[in-house]
Amino acid sequence: MNVLRRLRNPVLFNEWKLRMRTNRAPWIILFYLLVLGTMTLLAIFFMTNGGSYYKPGETRELFMMLSIFQLGMIGFLVPGLTAGVISGERERQTLSILLTTNISATRLILGKWLASLSFMMFLVFATIPLYAIVFLYGGVSPLQLIKVFGFYVVTMLVVGSIGVLISTLIKRTGIATVVSYAVVFGVAIGTSVLAEIIRQFIRYQNRMNQVTSPPNSIWPDLLHSINPVFAMLNIFEEGPVQDLSSFTNAQSFWANVDPFWNYCLFYGGLTVVCLLLAIYFIQPVRGRKRKASAGEQ
Amino acid sequence: MIQIRNLQKSYGKMQALKGLTMDIEKGTVFGFVGPNGAGKSTTMSILATLLAPTSGKAYVGGYEVTSHPKEVRKLIGYMPDFFGVYDNLTAEEYLDFYGANYDIPAAERKQIIPQLLDLVNLSHKRDAYVDSLSRGMKQRLGLARSLVHNPEVLILDEPASGLDPRARIELREILKELRDMGKTIIISSHILPELAEMCDVIGVIEEGNLVAFGRVDEIYAKMQEQRVLRIRLTGQLEEAMTRLREMPVITSVTREGSWVVAGFAGNDEQQVELLRELTTAGYPVAAFNEAVGDLEDIFLEITKGVGS
């Protein structure tokens, strides 16, 4: 009973209630499904030449396209949903009151984070019927389907935690939203740009040292494996990262791990770090870890 | 109940509090008076565990606010000068949310909330959305919210600001009820006569310094060491003013129409003697009275020159 009480989060329940009471929520759901549905059905129409025939190889591409498009939608919506969760409370002048209640900083941050993500997860899981239509044509394994949805969850968790951290650090929602988009965009593009810079640098070094063998460093591919688009392609065995263990000098732990798990581990860790920082920074006064003693003055 | 020791708070080069020290006893209604920017809200934010002081200590119920914020939060109910509400919640849901934040079981909340709504005269608005409430009603709802966990100390930062006279009177009545319930209340305001009616003790703060502290009657008495006499004459005003200036107990003399206003540094017997002297000298005195200084005068008198 006590455990249940500890797990109960009033902030989370309140956010659910507030979010679903506005007109905004059904409009977002409608818009999201309309965009993805139209795109998928149009793609099916063109790929099957108006429904006359289909090739399993092409439906696999359709599945990939739908998955990457949905990933883009997550990257587009999650910063917007999370970047205002704390700064919005601050602007609404409700944060100071919340901070004087018994609710801990951890429960406050987790409540806000989970409430935003649960709405996004609701959107993603509402698209399952679309995947079911595409899945009907074949070309994709059930494991790949599960991995794709697992990938979405991990991506949402990390993008959401970045949004919450930025919302905690920046007072204005507008600025927090812009910075969140910039950071998410930076991660999406920056990891691969950095990977290619490192690869070219190694090549240049090899040329200078007159080494004829191809560059054999795991770092560019490791960076590619944490790029959301390439990591998603990797689930379908496409893209630049496929088998890190092919590196001859790849003795490290990472070389023997499926790049999908690399992605999950890296962003899982980043999620925890972002949330811990948000919890730390939201506390106006951080109590010392010692036993309370009355009359100590 | 509350002890503040040499409390200092700086924002960059600006010093908001310059070594504030005071004690507030349990069950006291303490009025915190001062102009805008004097340091009232800063002090209240520190007591509410929302702000860490630069130096010094503040204790609530024996707990130091920076090292034991959790314990302090259980003891206090805080209402900031400006606060927002969740517009898409009803009044009852709003209180229920905060009750849940204080880990009050749902069954207990169901009992407490109608009582609180009744206390702040909002029972009829129980199912109304917060958005639809007037400013005064929102203020009262905020007060009910700060009472949801039955705190021993209430910290109310300018609770009457922006309210119309009727809403102010209603709020004052509620605060009187809370005083009768034995709560320790810290209330800040620049509407001084209101504080005089409600508070047992007042503290006047100016530019981060506590310039006066004590019971309201004590502060009145202290101020009355310098009395102001208003004398109306039907003639010979200039002569009477010259005569008054010659008297050692008179500190200043000015004219306001047919009235002479004189600063008087003496006791009641000397006041009687002064009146006798004027009438014996033949000045046509039509009225003779002592100006009653209200809290506004006290405030202006106490804070004059501070920071200049």
Side-chain angles (χ1 to χ4, degrees), chain B residues 8-214:
Chain B
Q8 295 190 28
K9 178 70 188 173
S10 302
Y11 299 98
K13 284 181 183 173
M14 206 273 284
Q15 246 193 311
L17 290 178
K18 299 169 183 170
L20 192 70
T21 297
M22 61 181 184
D23 287 349
I24 301 165
E25 285 172 25
K26 194 174 179 175
T28 304
V29 180
F30 173 73
F32 211 15
V33 189
N36 293 334
K40 304 187 297 287
S41 294
T42 302
T43 310
M44 288 183 151
S45 294
I46 290 171
L47 289 173
T49 73
L50 288 172
L51 204 59
T54 308
S55 67
K57 300 272 182 192
Y59 303 87
V60 177
Y63 295 107
E64 206 277 310
V65 292
T66 56
S67 56
H68 299 107
K70 281 182 187 172
E71 288 78 9
V72 171
R73 283 171 196 155
K74 284 175 191 164
L75 292 172
I76 61 157
Y78 173 63
M79 191 161 102
D81 47 355
F82 296 103
F83 66 94
V85 284
Y86 299 100
D87 290 341
N88 289 319
L89 293 180
T90 64
E92 187 183 24
E93 286 171 339
Y94 178 77
L95 293 179
D96 188 67
F97 168 57
Y98 283 99
N101 281 335
Y102 281 107
D103 298 321
I104 300 168
E108 208 176 310
R109 295 202 300 268
K110 275 189 180 165
Q111 287 183 330
I112 296 167
I113 290 166
Q115 292 169 11
L116 286 173
L117 287 171
D118 190 42
L119 177 76
V120 297
N121 304 322
L122 284 176
S123 295
H124 61 296
K125 293 286 181 185
R126 180 180 172 155
D127 297 319
Y129 280 97
V130 176
D131 193 21
S132 68
L133 302 180
S134 68
R135 171 135 174 80
M137 286 177 181
K138 281 183 187 172
Q139 205 81 348
R140 271 148 49 202
L141 185 66
L143 187 60
R145 193 263 315 144
S146 65
L147 288 163
V148 79
H149 58 301
N150 194 22
E152 287 182 46
V153 180
L154 274 176
I155 301 171
L156 311 174
D157 195 359
E158 304 261 4
S161 80
L163 296 186
D164 59 46
R166 187 183 179 82
R168 277 183 189 170
I169 292 165
E170 284 172 347
L171 184 71
R172 197 168 62 203
E173 291 308 311
I174 296 164
L175 291 175
K176 278 179 186 168
E177 271 188 64
L178 292 171
R179 178 172 63 180
D180 295 341
M181 287 160 72
K183 306 271 183 208
T184 305
I185 304 173
I186 304 178
I187 177 169
S188 73
S189 176
H190 50 260
I191 302 157
L192 305 177
E194 277 189 5
L195 283 187
E197 274 182 44
M198 291 181 40
C199 300
D200 307 313
V201 176
I202 60 168
V204 182
I205 187 169
E206 171 79 7
E207 295 194 352
N209 292 303
L210 192 70
V211 290
F213 181 88

Side-chain angles (χ1 to χ4, degrees), chain A:
Chain A
M1 191 66 188
N2 256 348
V3 176
L4 275 178
R5 190 178 287 181
R6 284 179 76 87
L7 286 175
R8 207 167 43 209
N9 190 324
V11 174
L12 178 62
F13 290 127
N14 193 50
E15 282 291 310
W16 279 340
K17 200 185 285 180
L18 289 173
R19 202 177 282 275
M20 297 314 284
R21 267 186 189 172
T22 59
N23 290 332
R24 208 169 138 228
W27 281 112
I28 291 176
I29 296 165
L30 178 71
F31 170 76
Y32 193 83
L33 291 179
L34 212 61
V35 170
L36 272 179
T38 309
M39 207 208 72
T40 309
L41 294 175
L42 275 177
I44 289 173
F45 182 79
F46 288 119
M47 281 187 170
T48 59
N49 287 316
S52 53
Y53 65 89
Y54 71 94
K55 292 176 188 169
E58 283 180 352
T59 53
R60 187 168 164 274
E61 280 171 24
L62 177 66
F63 193 90
M64 277 166 55
M65 196 178 73
L66 175 64
S67 303
I68 287 174
F69 194 74
Q70 174 121 289
L71 181 69
M73 291 291 274
I74 289 171
F76 177 70
L77 278 179
V78 176
L81 286 171
T82 53
V85 290
I86 302 298
S87 55
E89 287 276 347
R90 202 178 273 123
E91 284 175 340
R92 211 187 300 140
Q93 294 175 320
T94 45
L95 185 64
S96 60
I97 299 172
L98 267 182
L99 291 172
T100 57
T101 66
N102 273 12
I103 195 106
S104 65
T106 310
R107 279 210 293 171
L108 176 59
I109 290 290
L110 290 182
K112 290 282 179 186
W113 176 63
L114 288 174
S116 307
L117 293 185
S118 55
F119 183 69
M120 192 63 223
M121 280 183 200
F122 176 70
L123 285 179
V124 169
F125 284 96
T127 62
I128 284 182
L130 287 174
Y131 282 87
I133 296 170
V134 179
F135 198 61
L136 209 64
Y137 290 96
V140 181
S141 73
L143 180 67
Q144 282 174 326
L145 184 72
I146 293 167
K147 272 188 170 179
V148 164
F149 275 87
F151 189 90
Y152 289 150
V153 171
V154 172
T155 308
M156 278 188 271
L157 295 181
V158 69
V159 176
S161 65
I162 290 170
V164 170
L165 174 62
I166 291 168
S167 186
T168 308
L169 296 174
I170 296 175
K171 287 182 179 173
R172 310 296 302 178
T173 301
I175 300 168
T177 308
V178 171
V179 174
S180 297
Y181 277 116
V183 171
V184 171
F185 185 75
V187 170
I189 305 292
T191 43
S192 279
V193 170
L194 190 64
E196 285 311 310
I197 289 171
I198 292 172
R199 201 192 296 281
Q200 293 308 321
F201 180 74
I202 293 166
R203 276 188 186 144
Y204 172 77
Q205 288 279 316
N206 285 354
R207 257 203 316 276
M208 294 301 284
N209 298 330
Q210 296 185 331
V211 178
T212 49
S213 58
N216 198 14
S217 169
I218 198 169
W219 288 106
D221 284 273
L222 259 182
L223 278 168
H224 274 312
S225 76
I226 57 167
N227 177 282
V229 179
F230 289 145
M232 170 67 88
L233 286 173
N234 180 259
I235 296 173
F236 304 102
E237 288 144 13
E238 300 280 348
V241 195
Q242 281 163 44
D243 187 8
L244 296 175
S245 61
S246 63
F247 292 93
T248 50
N249 63 349
Q251 301 299 319
S252 72
F253 164 77
W254 300 108
N256 301 307
V257 176
D258 180 344
F260 173 77
W261 294 112
N262 273 350
Y263 185 87
C264 293
L265 276 172
F266 179 77
Y267 285 116
L270 188 61
T271 301
V272 172
V273 170
C274 286
L275 290 176
L276 287 175
L277 286 173
I279 290 164
Y280 179 79
F281 283 114
I282 202 170
Q283 295 174 70
V285 173
R286 295 167 197 104
R288 286 194 285 272
K289 296 269 181 198
R290 60 186 168 85
K291 202 181 168 189
S293 59
E296 65 179 51
Q297 73 276 23

